[in-house]
Amino acid sequence: MASRPRRRLRRSLLAALVTASVAVPVSGAARPSAVPAPDPVALGPVNVAPAALAARYAAQREGIRAAERAASGHGDRRRAAVLSAMAGPDRRFLAFDGRDGGRAAEVFGDLSHADRIAVLVPGSDTGLDRYERFRADARELRRQLGDSGAVVAWLGYRTPATPSAAALTAGSAESAAPALRSAVAELAAAAPATRIAVLCHSYGSVVCARAASGLRASDIVLYGSPGTGFDNVRDLRTRATVWAGRGSGDWIADVPHVRLGLHITTIGFGTDPVSDRFGARRFDAGACGHSGYLRAGSVSLRNIARIVSATARTGERHA
C-alpha cells in the first residue's frame, strides 16, 4: 500500500493535470521566440559508405557554422557558443536544422561498420541550449556498446518544457512521430543488416509510441516513462520487442497513470509501462533517478546496452 505522503503526492499531481488542462489553449503563447537560423543544408538519403558519410558530416558542419553566424548576429551568445562547439572537427551530424529551437541527429561511433545502432529519443527540456546532457548520455552508451555499436542522438522534434501543459498531452509526440519513422527508415535502408534499437526517455516514450506502428526497429526501449497514451503493447501495433524499465529513484513513478479526456484535448498518458497490464518486457533499471539511466557504471546503462546488443535474456521478464 502506498504511504500517506505518496498518496497525497499522487492526488496533488492529479489535481495539477486538471489545472494544467486550462492552460492548453494558450500554452504556445508563452514560448520564447526562436533564434533565427538559415534553412538547413539539403541532402539526400543517408548513405553509410565512409566517403559518403564524410561528405555529409562536412556539409552539416557548414550548415551549423551558418547557424552560428546567424545566432551571433541576433546577439544570442549562448546559442552561438553551443553551435561553435557543435561545428568542431570531431563532431558528426547526419542532420541539423537551427530553426524553431533546433533539430539535430549526431553520430557517435562508426556507422559504416556498426552491427548495431541505438537511436536515442529525448524527453522534455532537451534542445540546442541544453544539448550537452543529451550528448553525454549518447557518449556513455557508445562506450558501453563498444566499437561494434553506434549511437544516433536524435533531437528531431521540439520537446515540451516539463512545467507546461504540452508535456501532459500527446500533441508534440504526434508532430514528432513521422520524423522519427523517417529517420529510422533511412538508417534501416542504408544498413539493412544492422540491428536498430530505439531508446525512448521520458516524454520521448510518448513519441516512440506514436511512431511504433511504422518504426523499422528490432527493439523499442521505454525508460523513465510517464506512460505512452496506449493501454498495452498490443495497441502499439509493432513487431519490435517493447521493453520498459524504471529506476527506484525516479520521481516519474509518482505521476498519476491516468488519461482525462476533455473537450479540447486529452491530459495524461494512461497505463504504467512497467506494469503487468501494459505487457512490455521489463528490465532492471537499478536505483537511478529520472536523468540517470545512461550514467556511467549504472545498472540501467548496462542492461539497456545488453538490449541494444541483443544479449539480454529473452526468456524472462527482466534483463
Side-chain angles (χ1 to χ4, degrees):
M1 177 178 289
S3 65
R4 288 183 179 179
R6 177 160 288 191
R7 287 199 299 269
R8 285 198 297 269
L9 176 58
R10 288 180 186 273
R11 286 197 296 269
S12 297
L13 288 169
L14 183 57
L17 289 177
V18 177
T19 301
S21 70
V22 178
V24 170
V26 297
S27 61
R31 301 191 74 98
S33 60
V35 179
D39 291 345
V41 177
L43 297 171
V46 171
N47 182 335
V48 297
L53 279 176
R56 189 179 189 98
Y57 296 153
Q60 297 294 5
R61 192 171 297 117
E62 289 306 311
I64 295 169
R65 287 174 178 151
E68 178 193 352
R69 292 190 292 272
S72 294
H74 186 65
D76 193 319
R77 297 180 186 177
R78 180 180 181 183
R79 176 65 62 82
V82 168
L83 295 173
S84 178
M86 293 177 82
D90 60 334
R91 306 287 290 271
R92 294 171 291 185
F93 287 86
L94 290 176
F96 176 82
D97 184 349
R99 302 171 301 175
D100 187 34
R103 311 283 188 273
E106 185 170 10
V107 176
F108 301 82
D110 184 358
L111 278 183
S112 297
H113 300 99
D115 59 17
R116 66 206 68 169
I117 298 172
V119 178
L120 298 190
V121 181
S124 302
D125 297 320
T126 306
L128 294 185
D129 293 335
R130 296 184 178 182
Y131 183 77
E132 280 306 307
R133 184 181 65 188
F134 184 43
R135 182 171 185 260
D137 283 350
R139 293 176 68 185
E140 285 301 333
L141 179 59
R142 166 64 177 80
R143 291 191 187 102
Q144 187 72 30
L145 291 174
D147 292 341
S148 61
V151 176
V152 177
W154 184 83
L155 177 57
Y157 74 113
R158 185 166 189 169
T159 66
T162 296
S164 72
L168 304 176
T169 68
S172 295
E174 291 281 4
S175 298
L180 178 58
R181 288 193 196 105
S182 178
V184 174
E186 275 197 47
L187 288 171
T194 303
R195 179 185 179 89
I196 299 176
V198 182
L199 313 184
C200 321
H201 178 238
S202 193
Y203 188 88
S205 63
V206 187
V207 176
C208 290
R210 288 298 187 277
S213 63
L215 210 53
R216 295 177 60 182
S218 59
D219 299 89
I220 297 172
V221 186
L222 315 175
Y223 54 105
S225 174
T228 63
F230 293 89
D231 290 334
N232 54 60
V233 166
R234 293 187 301 276
D235 292 342
L236 299 183
R237 294 180 299 152
T238 178
R239 294 182 179 181
T241 300
V242 179
W243 301 78
R246 183 169 62 224
S248 61
D250 190 344
W251 58 262
I252 206 78
D254 291 315
V255 170
H257 294 288
V258 297
R259 278 189 292 169
L260 303 177
L262 307 175
H263 69 285
I264 50 173
T265 189
T266 298
I267 299 290
F269 303 112
T271 309
D272 186 348
V274 300
S275 68
D276 288 339
R277 178 186 171 193
F278 189 72
R281 188 175 295 278
R282 295 194 298 269
F283 68 92
D284 183 5
C288 71
H290 191 64
S291 299
Y293 286 88
L294 299 181
R295 188 162 295 164
S298 66
V299 171
S300 51
L301 172 62
R302 183 172 69 248
N303 281 335
I304 288 171
R306 289 174 62 198
I307 293 168
V308 175
S309 301
T311 58
R313 294 194 292 273
T314 56
E316 303 177 19
R317 290 194 63 81
H318 291 269

Short mmCIF file of all heavy atoms in Angstrom, two decimals, residues 159-221:
data_model
loop_
_atom_site.label_atom_id
_atom_site.label_comp_id
_atom_site.label_asym_id
_atom_site.label_seq_id
_atom_site.Cartn_x
_atom_site.Cartn_y
_atom_site.Cartn_z
N THR A 159 10.97 19.61 -28.17
CA THR A 159 10.49 18.95 -26.96
C THR A 159 9.73 19.94 -26.09
O THR A 159 10.05 21.13 -26.04
CB THR A 159 11.67 18.36 -26.16
OG1 THR A 159 12.48 19.43 -25.67
CG2 THR A 159 12.52 17.45 -27.02
N PRO A 160 8.72 19.46 -25.37
CA PRO A 160 7.99 20.37 -24.49
C PRO A 160 8.77 20.66 -23.22
O PRO A 160 9.67 19.91 -22.84
CB PRO A 160 6.72 19.56 -24.16
CG PRO A 160 7.15 18.14 -24.27
CD PRO A 160 8.16 18.10 -25.38
N ALA A 161 8.46 21.76 -22.58
CA ALA A 161 9.04 22.08 -21.28
C ALA A 161 8.32 21.25 -20.22
O ALA A 161 7.11 21.04 -20.30
CB ALA A 161 8.89 23.57 -20.98
N THR A 162 9.08 20.79 -19.22
CA THR A 162 8.47 19.96 -18.18
C THR A 162 7.33 20.67 -17.47
O THR A 162 6.24 20.10 -17.32
CB THR A 162 9.53 19.48 -17.18
OG1 THR A 162 10.47 18.63 -17.87
CG2 THR A 162 8.90 18.69 -16.04
N PRO A 163 7.52 21.90 -16.99
CA PRO A 163 6.40 22.56 -16.31
C PRO A 163 5.48 23.25 -17.32
O PRO A 163 5.39 24.47 -17.40
CB PRO A 163 7.09 23.58 -15.40
CG PRO A 163 8.33 23.95 -16.16
CD PRO A 163 8.73 22.71 -16.92
N SER A 164 4.82 22.44 -18.16
CA SER A 164 3.92 23.03 -19.16
C SER A 164 2.82 22.04 -19.47
O SER A 164 2.96 20.82 -19.29
CB SER A 164 4.68 23.37 -20.44
OG SER A 164 5.04 22.19 -21.14
N ALA A 165 1.71 22.55 -19.96
CA ALA A 165 0.62 21.68 -20.37
C ALA A 165 1.02 20.80 -21.54
O ALA A 165 0.52 19.68 -21.68
CB ALA A 165 -0.60 22.53 -20.75
N ALA A 166 1.94 21.28 -22.39
CA ALA A 166 2.36 20.49 -23.55
C ALA A 166 2.98 19.17 -23.14
O ALA A 166 2.89 18.17 -23.88
CB ALA A 166 3.34 21.30 -24.38
N ALA A 167 3.63 19.12 -21.98
CA ALA A 167 4.26 17.89 -21.51
C ALA A 167 3.24 16.89 -20.99
O ALA A 167 3.60 15.74 -20.70
CB ALA A 167 5.27 18.21 -20.41
N LEU A 168 1.98 17.30 -20.88
CA LEU A 168 0.93 16.42 -20.37
C LEU A 168 0.00 15.92 -21.47
O LEU A 168 -0.95 15.19 -21.20
CB LEU A 168 0.11 17.16 -19.31
CG LEU A 168 0.88 17.73 -18.12
CD1 LEU A 168 -0.06 18.52 -17.23
CD2 LEU A 168 1.56 16.62 -17.35
N THR A 169 0.28 16.31 -22.71
CA THR A 169 -0.55 15.90 -23.83
C THR A 169 0.33 15.31 -24.93
O THR A 169 1.55 15.45 -24.92
CB THR A 169 -1.33 17.09 -24.41
OG1 THR A 169 -0.40 18.00 -25.04
CG2 THR A 169 -2.11 17.83 -23.33
N ALA A 170 -0.29 14.64 -25.89
CA ALA A 170 0.45 13.96 -26.93
C ALA A 170 0.68 14.80 -28.17
O ALA A 170 1.21 14.30 -29.17
CB ALA A 170 -0.28 12.67 -27.32
N GLY A 171 0.35 16.09 -28.12
CA GLY A 171 0.46 16.92 -29.32
C GLY A 171 1.86 16.97 -29.90
O GLY A 171 2.05 16.79 -31.12
N SER A 172 2.86 17.21 -29.07
CA SER A 172 4.24 17.27 -29.56
C SER A 172 4.68 15.92 -30.12
O SER A 172 5.41 15.84 -31.11
CB SER A 172 5.19 17.69 -28.43
OG SER A 172 4.92 19.01 -28.01
N ALA A 173 4.24 14.84 -29.48
CA ALA A 173 4.60 13.50 -29.93
C ALA A 173 3.96 13.18 -31.29
O ALA A 173 4.60 12.56 -32.16
CB ALA A 173 4.16 12.47 -28.90
N GLU A 174 2.73 13.59 -31.47
CA GLU A 174 2.05 13.37 -32.75
C GLU A 174 2.82 14.06 -33.88
O GLU A 174 2.97 13.50 -34.98
CB GLU A 174 0.62 13.90 -32.70
CG GLU A 174 -0.31 13.11 -31.80
CD GLU A 174 -0.81 11.83 -32.43
OE1 GLU A 174 -0.39 11.51 -33.55
OE2 GLU A 174 -1.64 11.15 -31.79
N SER A 175 3.29 15.26 -33.60
CA SER A 175 4.04 16.00 -34.62
C SER A 175 5.40 15.38 -34.90
O SER A 175 5.90 15.42 -36.03
CB SER A 175 4.23 17.45 -34.17
OG SER A 175 2.98 18.10 -34.00
N ALA A 176 6.01 14.78 -33.87
CA ALA A 176 7.36 14.24 -33.99
C ALA A 176 7.41 12.85 -34.62
O ALA A 176 8.41 12.47 -35.24
CB ALA A 176 8.01 14.18 -32.61
N ALA A 177 6.34 12.08 -34.48
CA ALA A 177 6.36 10.67 -34.89
C ALA A 177 6.75 10.45 -36.36
O ALA A 177 7.57 9.57 -36.65
CB ALA A 177 5.01 10.02 -34.59
N PRO A 178 6.20 11.20 -37.32
CA PRO A 178 6.59 10.96 -38.71
C PRO A 178 8.08 11.18 -38.95
O PRO A 178 8.70 10.43 -39.72
CB PRO A 178 5.75 11.97 -39.49
CG PRO A 178 4.58 12.25 -38.62
CD PRO A 178 5.11 12.20 -37.23
N ALA A 179 8.67 12.18 -38.30
CA ALA A 179 10.10 12.44 -38.48
C ALA A 179 10.93 11.31 -37.91
O ALA A 179 11.97 10.93 -38.47
CB ALA A 179 10.47 13.77 -37.82
N LEU A 180 10.51 10.75 -36.76
CA LEU A 180 11.25 9.62 -36.18
C LEU A 180 11.16 8.40 -37.08
O LEU A 180 12.16 7.72 -37.34
CB LEU A 180 10.71 9.30 -34.79
CG LEU A 180 11.35 8.11 -34.09
CD1 LEU A 180 12.85 8.31 -33.92
CD2 LEU A 180 10.69 7.85 -32.74
N ARG A 181 9.97 8.10 -37.58
CA ARG A 181 9.83 6.96 -38.51
C ARG A 181 10.75 7.13 -39.71
O ARG A 181 11.41 6.18 -40.14
CB ARG A 181 8.38 6.86 -39.00
CG ARG A 181 7.39 6.36 -37.98
CD ARG A 181 6.09 6.00 -38.67
NE ARG A 181 5.00 5.88 -37.72
CZ ARG A 181 4.04 6.79 -37.56
NH1 ARG A 181 4.04 7.88 -38.31
NH2 ARG A 181 3.09 6.61 -36.68
N SER A 182 10.77 8.34 -40.27
CA SER A 182 11.58 8.60 -41.45
C SER A 182 13.07 8.43 -41.16
O SER A 182 13.81 7.83 -41.96
CB SER A 182 11.30 10.02 -41.96
OG SER A 182 12.10 10.33 -43.08
N ALA A 183 13.53 8.95 -40.01
CA ALA A 183 14.95 8.86 -39.66
C ALA A 183 15.38 7.41 -39.49
O ALA A 183 16.45 7.00 -39.97
CB ALA A 183 15.22 9.66 -38.39
N VAL A 184 14.56 6.61 -38.80
CA VAL A 184 14.91 5.21 -38.59
C VAL A 184 14.83 4.44 -39.90
O VAL A 184 15.66 3.56 -40.18
CB VAL A 184 13.99 4.59 -37.52
CG1 VAL A 184 14.24 3.09 -37.38
CG2 VAL A 184 14.22 5.27 -36.17
N ALA A 185 13.86 4.75 -40.74
CA ALA A 185 13.74 4.08 -42.04
C ALA A 185 14.95 4.35 -42.91
O ALA A 185 15.43 3.44 -43.62
CB ALA A 185 12.46 4.55 -42.75
N GLU A 186 15.47 5.57 -42.88
CA GLU A 186 16.68 5.88 -43.64
C GLU A 186 17.86 5.04 -43.17
O GLU A 186 18.63 4.51 -43.98
CB GLU A 186 17.03 7.37 -43.51
CG GLU A 186 16.32 8.26 -44.48
CD GLU A 186 17.00 9.63 -44.60
OE1 GLU A 186 18.23 9.67 -44.75
OE2 GLU A 186 16.28 10.63 -44.53
N LEU A 187 18.03 4.93 -41.86
CA LEU A 187 19.12 4.12 -41.33
C LEU A 187 18.95 2.66 -41.71
O LEU A 187 19.91 1.98 -42.09
CB LEU A 187 19.18 4.26 -39.81
CG LEU A 187 19.68 5.59 -39.26
CD1 LEU A 187 19.48 5.65 -37.75
CD2 LEU A 187 21.16 5.80 -39.59
N ALA A 188 17.72 2.15 -41.61
CA ALA A 188 17.46 0.75 -41.93
C ALA A 188 17.72 0.46 -43.41
O ALA A 188 18.25 -0.60 -43.77
CB ALA A 188 16.02 0.39 -41.57
N ALA A 189 17.36 1.41 -44.28
CA ALA A 189 17.60 1.22 -45.71
C ALA A 189 19.08 1.29 -46.05
O ALA A 189 19.57 0.56 -46.91
CB ALA A 189 16.82 2.27 -46.50
N ALA A 190 19.79 2.16 -45.35
CA ALA A 190 21.22 2.33 -45.62
C ALA A 190 22.06 1.19 -45.07
O ALA A 190 23.11 0.86 -45.62
CB ALA A 190 21.71 3.66 -45.03
N ALA A 191 21.60 0.57 -43.98
CA ALA A 191 22.34 -0.52 -43.34
C ALA A 191 21.39 -1.66 -43.03
O ALA A 191 21.05 -1.92 -41.87
CB ALA A 191 23.02 -0.01 -42.08
N PRO A 192 20.91 -2.37 -44.03
CA PRO A 192 19.85 -3.36 -43.84
C PRO A 192 20.23 -4.54 -42.96
O PRO A 192 19.35 -5.21 -42.41
CB PRO A 192 19.53 -3.82 -45.27
CG PRO A 192 20.75 -3.47 -46.07
CD PRO A 192 21.30 -2.24 -45.45
N ALA A 193 21.51 -4.81 -42.81
CA ALA A 193 21.94 -5.94 -41.98
C ALA A 193 22.20 -5.54 -40.53
O ALA A 193 22.57 -6.37 -39.71
CB ALA A 193 23.20 -6.57 -42.57
N THR A 194 22.00 -4.27 -40.23
CA THR A 194 22.33 -3.75 -38.90
C THR A 194 21.10 -3.75 -38.00
O THR A 194 20.02 -3.34 -38.41
CB THR A 194 22.89 -2.32 -39.02
OG1 THR A 194 24.04 -2.34 -39.87
CG2 THR A 194 23.29 -1.79 -37.66
N ARG A 195 21.28 -4.19 -36.77
CA ARG A 195 20.21 -4.20 -35.79
C ARG A 195 20.00 -2.78 -35.26
O ARG A 195 20.97 -2.12 -34.86
CB ARG A 195 20.57 -5.15 -34.65
CG ARG A 195 19.55 -5.26 -33.53
CD ARG A 195 20.10 -6.14 -32.40
NE ARG A 195 19.15 -6.25 -31.32
CZ ARG A 195 18.21 -7.17 -31.23
NH1 ARG A 195 18.10 -8.08 -32.19
NH2 ARG A 195 17.38 -7.21 -30.19
N ILE A 196 18.77 -2.31 -35.24
CA ILE A 196 18.46 -0.96 -34.77
C ILE A 196 17.52 -1.04 -33.58
O ILE A 196 16.47 -1.69 -33.65
CB ILE A 196 17.82 -0.10 -35.88
CG1 ILE A 196 18.79 0.05 -37.07
CG2 ILE A 196 17.43 1.28 -35.34
CD1 ILE A 196 18.20 0.79 -38.24
N ALA A 197 17.89 -0.39 -32.49
CA ALA A 197 17.02 -0.26 -31.33
C ALA A 197 16.73 1.21 -31.11
O ALA A 197 17.62 2.06 -31.29
CB ALA A 197 17.69 -0.86 -30.09
N VAL A 198 15.51 1.53 -30.74
CA VAL A 198 15.12 2.91 -30.47
C VAL A 198 14.89 3.05 -28.97
O VAL A 198 14.06 2.34 -28.39
CB VAL A 198 13.85 3.30 -31.27
CG1 VAL A 198 13.49 4.76 -31.01
CG2 VAL A 198 14.08 3.07 -32.76
N LEU A 199 15.63 3.96 -28.35
CA LEU A 199 15.63 4.13 -26.91
C LEU A 199 14.92 5.44 -26.57
O LEU A 199 15.33 6.51 -27.02
CB LEU A 199 17.06 4.15 -26.36
CG LEU A 199 18.00 3.06 -26.86
CD1 LEU A 199 19.34 3.15 -26.15
CD2 LEU A 199 17.39 1.67 -26.68
N CYS A 200 13.89 5.35 -25.74
CA CYS A 200 12.96 6.45 -25.57
C CYS A 200 12.86 6.86 -24.11
O CYS A 200 12.31 6.12 -23.28
CB CYS A 200 11.58 6.03 -26.08
SG CYS A 200 11.63 5.01 -27.60
N HIS A 201 13.36 8.05 -23.80
CA HIS A 201 13.38 8.52 -22.42
C HIS A 201 12.23 9.47 -22.13
O HIS A 201 11.96 10.39 -22.91
CB HIS A 201 14.71 9.23 -22.12
CG HIS A 201 14.80 9.78 -20.73
ND1 HIS A 201 15.02 11.11 -20.47
CD2 HIS A 201 14.67 9.18 -19.52
CE1 HIS A 201 15.03 11.31 -19.16
NE2 HIS A 201 14.83 10.15 -18.56
N SER A 202 11.54 9.26 -21.02
CA SER A 202 10.55 10.19 -20.51
C SER A 202 9.49 10.51 -21.58
O SER A 202 8.88 9.61 -22.13
CB SER A 202 11.27 11.45 -20.00
OG SER A 202 10.41 12.26 -19.22
N TYR A 203 9.29 11.80 -21.91
CA TYR A 203 8.30 12.14 -22.93
C TYR A 203 8.65 11.52 -24.28
O TYR A 203 7.76 11.29 -25.11
CB TYR A 203 8.18 13.66 -23.06
CG TYR A 203 7.04 14.09 -23.96
CD1 TYR A 203 5.75 14.28 -23.46
CD2 TYR A 203 7.24 14.30 -25.32
CE1 TYR A 203 4.70 14.64 -24.29
CE2 TYR A 203 6.20 14.67 -26.16
CZ TYR A 203 4.93 14.84 -25.64
OH TYR A 203 3.89 15.19 -26.48
N GLY A 204 9.91 11.22 -24.49
CA GLY A 204 10.31 10.55 -25.72
C GLY A 204 9.61 9.22 -25.91
O GLY A 204 9.43 8.75 -27.04
N SER A 205 9.17 8.58 -24.80
CA SER A 205 8.44 7.32 -24.93
C SER A 205 7.06 7.54 -25.53
O SER A 205 6.50 6.65 -26.19
CB SER A 205 8.34 6.63 -23.56
OG SER A 205 7.60 7.42 -22.64
N VAL A 206 6.50 8.73 -25.35
CA VAL A 206 5.23 9.06 -25.98
C VAL A 206 5.44 9.22 -27.49
O VAL A 206 4.63 8.76 -28.31
CB VAL A 206 4.63 10.35 -25.38
CG1 VAL A 206 3.22 10.59 -25.94
CG2 VAL A 206 4.58 10.27 -23.86
N VAL A 207 6.56 9.84 -27.86
CA VAL A 207 6.92 9.97 -29.28
C VAL A 207 7.08 8.60 -29.92
O VAL A 207 6.53 8.31 -30.99
CB VAL A 207 8.22 10.79 -29.43
CG1 VAL A 207 8.65 10.84 -30.90
CG2 VAL A 207 8.06 12.20 -28.88
N CYS A 208 7.84 7.72 -29.25
CA CYS A 208 8.09 6.39 -29.81
C CYS A 208 6.79 5.59 -29.92
O CYS A 208 6.62 4.83 -30.88
CB CYS A 208 9.09 5.65 -28.93
SG CYS A 208 10.76 6.33 -29.01
N ALA A 209 5.91 5.73 -28.96
CA ALA A 209 4.64 5.01 -29.03
C ALA A 209 3.82 5.46 -30.22
O ALA A 209 3.19 4.64 -30.91
CB ALA A 209 3.86 5.21 -27.73
N ARG A 210 3.81 6.76 -30.49
CA ARG A 210 3.07 7.27 -31.65
C ARG A 210 3.70 6.80 -32.96
O ARG A 210 3.01 6.63 -33.96
CB ARG A 210 3.04 8.81 -31.61
CG ARG A 210 2.13 9.38 -30.54
CD ARG A 210 0.69 8.96 -30.78
NE ARG A 210 -0.27 9.61 -29.89
CZ ARG A 210 -0.57 9.22 -28.66
NH1 ARG A 210 0.05 8.17 -28.15
NH2 ARG A 210 -1.47 9.84 -27.94
N ALA A 211 5.00 6.59 -32.96
CA ALA A 211 5.71 6.18 -34.18
C ALA A 211 5.79 4.67 -34.33
O ALA A 211 6.16 4.17 -35.40
CB ALA A 211 7.13 6.76 -34.17
N ALA A 212 5.45 3.92 -33.30
CA ALA A 212 5.78 2.50 -33.21
C ALA A 212 5.28 1.66 -34.37
O ALA A 212 5.98 0.77 -34.86
CB ALA A 212 5.27 1.92 -31.89
N SER A 213 4.08 1.92 -34.84
CA SER A 213 3.50 1.04 -35.86
C SER A 213 4.26 1.08 -37.18
O SER A 213 4.17 0.14 -37.97
CB SER A 213 2.03 1.41 -36.10
OG SER A 213 1.92 2.73 -36.60
N GLY A 214 5.03 2.12 -37.41
CA GLY A 214 5.81 2.20 -38.64
C GLY A 214 7.30 2.26 -38.41
O GLY A 214 8.05 2.66 -39.30
N LEU A 215 7.74 1.87 -37.23
CA LEU A 215 9.15 2.02 -36.85
C LEU A 215 9.92 0.76 -37.22
O LEU A 215 9.61 -0.33 -36.72
CB LEU A 215 9.23 2.28 -35.35
CG LEU A 215 10.39 3.12 -34.81
CD1 LEU A 215 10.52 4.45 -35.52
CD2 LEU A 215 10.19 3.35 -33.31
N ARG A 216 10.94 0.91 -38.06
CA ARG A 216 11.72 -0.24 -38.52
C ARG A 216 12.86 -0.52 -37.53
O ARG A 216 14.03 -0.28 -37.79
CB ARG A 216 12.26 0.03 -39.93
CG ARG A 216 11.17 0.14 -40.97
CD ARG A 216 11.72 0.48 -42.34
NE ARG A 216 12.65 -0.52 -42.84
CZ ARG A 216 13.30 -0.45 -44.00
NH1 ARG A 216 13.12 0.62 -44.77
NH2 ARG A 216 14.13 -1.39 -44.38
N ALA A 217 12.48 -1.06 -36.39
CA ALA A 217 13.44 -1.32 -35.32
C ALA A 217 13.18 -2.70 -34.75
O ALA A 217 12.05 -3.22 -34.78
CB ALA A 217 13.30 -0.27 -34.22
N SER A 218 14.24 -3.31 -34.21
CA SER A 218 14.09 -4.62 -33.58
C SER A 218 13.57 -4.48 -32.16
O SER A 218 12.89 -5.38 -31.65
CB SER A 218 15.44 -5.34 -33.57
OG SER A 218 16.41 -4.56 -32.87
N ASP A 219 13.91 -3.36 -31.50
CA ASP A 219 13.54 -3.16 -30.11
C ASP A 219 13.14 -1.70 -29.89
O ASP A 219 13.74 -0.79 -30.48
CB ASP A 219 14.71 -3.48 -29.17
CG ASP A 219 15.15 -4.92 -29.27
OD1 ASP A 219 16.03 -5.23 -30.11
OD2 ASP A 219 14.62 -5.76 -28.51
N ILE A 220 12.16 -1.50 -29.04
CA ILE A 220 11.78 -0.18 -28.56
C ILE A 220 11.90 -0.22 -27.05
O ILE A 220 11.27 -1.07 -26.39
CB ILE A 220 10.33 0.19 -28.97
CG1 ILE A 220 10.21 0.24 -30.50
CG2 ILE A 220 9.91 1.51 -28.35
CD1 ILE A 220 8.78 0.41 -31.00
N VAL A 221 12.72 0.67 -26.49
CA VAL A 221 13.02 0.64 -25.07
C VAL A 221 12.48 1.91 -24.42
O VAL A 221 12.89 3.02 -24.77
CB VAL A 221 14.54 0.54 -24.82
CG1 VAL A 221 14.83 0.37 -23.33
CG2 VAL A 221 15.14 -0.63 -25.62
#
